[in-house]
Amino acid sequence: DAKTTQPPSMDCAEGRAANLPCNHSTISGNEYVYWYRQIHSQGPQYIIHGLKNNETNEMASLIITEDRKSSTLILPHATLRDTAVYYCIVRVNTGFQKLVFGTGTRLLVSP
Amino acid sequence: DTGVSQDPRHKITKRGQNVTFRCDPISEHNRLYWYRQTLGQGPEFLTYFQNEAQLEKSRLLSDRFSAERPKGSFSTLEIQRTEQGDSAMYLCASSLVVWGSFNEQFFGPGTRLTVL
């Protein structure tokens, strides 16, 4: 699986958009970008994934650059409950599907 | 609650003792995964099951670790002769794998092990 690079921490004001970047310059053509988050004392939670098109669901939006070497997870209106560690993971979508987590970005949403 | 459950949530043991953790996946999920997470790090893969078959084990899973999923439903992870380095959060996840489609992994709350 390709490696990812994320900033260790970010701050965001409640109600504002949180934009979390991820670099994955060695991503292969058949590898997807996945985002999970882990709220304190809980297991990781799936957020969203994509291959090359931008994706949106009820939790977030995922913007993938045209060259697929980086992506941004957008939480459009961050709340205090979005305070968590966010993990960007790249891997193929077939076969054995273990998740290889890095250290992620610790997002702190403040009032 | 129909999510992944783990028992116990916390376990404190003395070095050298054996411990066993249980994971109950989401009903009908055919894959079950075990991960370990130490402080400040992301979860690390340990092993996974497809139904009752254990298909892959990480090199992190030493001989003191054994996992089972006897009937393809719940799973147990046993650590024998625990060491202080085994102190970590042990996470279980499950997924329903259907060929050709995406399947997310649903995680349980974890079992936090402290070895004194």
Side-chain angles (χ1 to χ4, degrees), chain A residues 9-63:
Chain A
S9 63
M10 293 184 65
D11 294 326
C12 181
E14 187 178 21
R16 304 297 294 270
N19 298 292
L20 292 92
C22 179
N23 287 323
H24 31 79
S25 59
T26 60
I27 191 170
S28 300
N30 62 345
E31 288 181 315
Y32 286 68
V33 180
Y34 291 79
W35 284 83
Y36 279 74
R37 75 179 183 183
Q38 188 172 23
I39 295 171
H40 183 61
S41 296
Q42 297 183 20
Q45 175 191 26
Y46 164 81
I47 301 173
I48 199 168
H49 77 288
L51 182 62
K52 54 184 177 181
N53 297 320
N54 297 337
E55 303 287 344
T56 296
N57 63 19
E58 64 278 5
M59 291 181 67
S61 294
L62 174 60
I63 307 298

Side-chain angles (χ1 to χ4, degrees), chain A residues 80-111:
Chain A
L80 299 180
R81 287 176 293 181
D82 291 322
T83 292
V85 178
Y86 288 77
Y87 297 100
C88 170
I89 300 167
V90 295
R91 64 172 172 88
V92 296
N93 202 29
T94 57
F96 172 48
Q97 298 180 2
K98 72 178 179 182
L99 296 170
V100 180
F101 292 85
T103 52
T105 295
R106 184 173 299 277
L107 176 67
L108 175 63
V109 181
S110 302

Side-chain angles (χ1 to χ4, degrees), chain B residues 31-51:
Chain B
R31 280 202 182 161
L32 187 147
Y33 311 78
W34 285 99
Y35 292 81
R36 181 175 72 182
Q37 185 174 26
T38 54
L39 198 62
Q41 302 298 313
E44 296 174 290
F45 167 77
L46 291 179
T47 187
Y48 91 101
F49 293 83
Q50 174 79 24
N51 298 312

Side-chain angles (χ1 to χ4, degrees), chain B residues 16-29:
Chain B
Q17 298 295 305
N18 300 343
V19 295
T20 300
F21 310 141
R22 177 181 170 119
C23 171
D24 286 90
I26 294 173
S27 179
E28 298 181 355
H29 275 191

Side-chain angles (χ1 to χ4, degrees), chain A residues 96, chain B residues 30-35 45-79:
Chain A
F96 172 48
Chain B
N30 51 6
R31 280 202 182 161
L32 187 147
Y33 311 78
W34 285 99
Y35 292 81
F45 167 77
L46 291 179
T47 187
Y48 91 101
F49 293 83
Q50 174 79 24
N51 298 312
E52 66 275 8
Q54 188 175 16
L55 297 186
E56 181 157 335
K57 295 191 290 185
S58 162
R59 58 179 175 77
L60 295 174
L61 213 65
S62 75
D63 292 342
R64 297 184 296 104
F65 288 70
S66 62
E68 294 182 342
R69 194 183 183 197
K71 298 182 180 179
S73 56
F74 74 91
S75 175
T76 59
L77 177 68
E78 180 183 16
I79 308 174

